[in-house]
Amino acid sequence: MIVRRIDEIRGTDRDIRGPTFDSRRLLLRRDGMGFSFHDTLIDAGTETLIWYVHHLEAVYCIEGEGEIELDDGRRFDIRAGTLYGLDGHEKHMLRARTQMRMICVFNPPLNGNEVHDKDGVYPLIVDEPETRVANAEAGDGTGRPVPVTARD
Ligand code: 9YT
């Protein structure tokens, strides 16, 4: 089992500062859950072009207000209690009127250090087997990542 608190990941490689957001990546590929799970703060007054061609993402807003605009011009207001799922890899502009706090889930999971390229894309990184970080109850006792298949 994994128990992790946001205070513990501040300033680590799970705490990624993008141009318009802070992405606190509580679960990553190396955790072996099959998805990554982020608590992301979007800066007030910003626009972010996003296009996850390699990933599916669900986003649940728990604080703040803004909108997303799709390529075809459709706009959707986002406020606390709104979920959107990018099940069609939709390219979109995310606008934050106030700071927005978003809970984001990615499938496949992010490795950790992905940031958007000029088109808003995160690269797909699949060069290593999915691993979990060993903890006191699991793994080989060294604290090194352990391949999922070796433990399941
Ligand atoms: C919706 C959103 O927060 N997009 C940008 C950042 C991304 N979710 C991440 O890496 O956490």
Side-chain angles (χ1 to χ4, degrees), residues 21-34:
F21 60 86
D22 286 314
S23 177
R24 290 87 58 91
R25 298 177 173 172
L26 289 148
L27 291 173
L28 287 168
R29 188 164 184 262
R30 64 182 187 257
D31 295 309
M33 298 282 291

Side-chain angles (χ1 to χ4, degrees), residues 23 62 90 93 96 98 105 124 148 151:
S23 177
I62 58 171
E90 292 88 349
M93 187 67 81
T98 65
V105 176
L124 181 64
V148 172
R151 292 189 35 220

Side-chain angles (χ1 to χ4, degrees), residues 44-129:
T46 60
E47 281 193 341
T48 310
L49 177 66
I50 296 173
W51 189 21
Y52 295 131
V53 294
H54 305 298
H55 300 87
L56 301 172
E57 187 196 26
V59 179
Y60 183 60
C61 177
I62 58 171
E63 288 173 17
E65 284 178 19
E67 67 168 21
I68 57 174
E69 180 174 354
L70 302 185
D71 256 6
D72 62 10
R74 280 182 295 158
R75 293 177 178 216
F76 300 89
D77 277 326
I78 310 295
R79 54 183 176 271
T82 305
L83 174 135
Y84 61 90
L86 299 164
D87 60 344
H89 305 277
E90 292 88 349
K91 188 175 191 176
H92 60 285
M93 187 67 81
L94 172 64
R95 297 193 182 92
R97 285 194 279 274
T98 65
Q99 176 176 276
M100 302 173 82
R101 186 170 177 196
M102 312 288 241
I103 304 302
C104 313
V105 176
F106 280 79
N107 169 23
L110 297 197
N111 264 41
N113 52 5
E114 291 91 342
V115 287
H116 299 124
D117 71 10
K118 66 174 177 34
D119 297 316
V121 175
Y122 279 163
L124 181 64
I125 302 173
V126 290
D127 55 342
E128 292 173 12

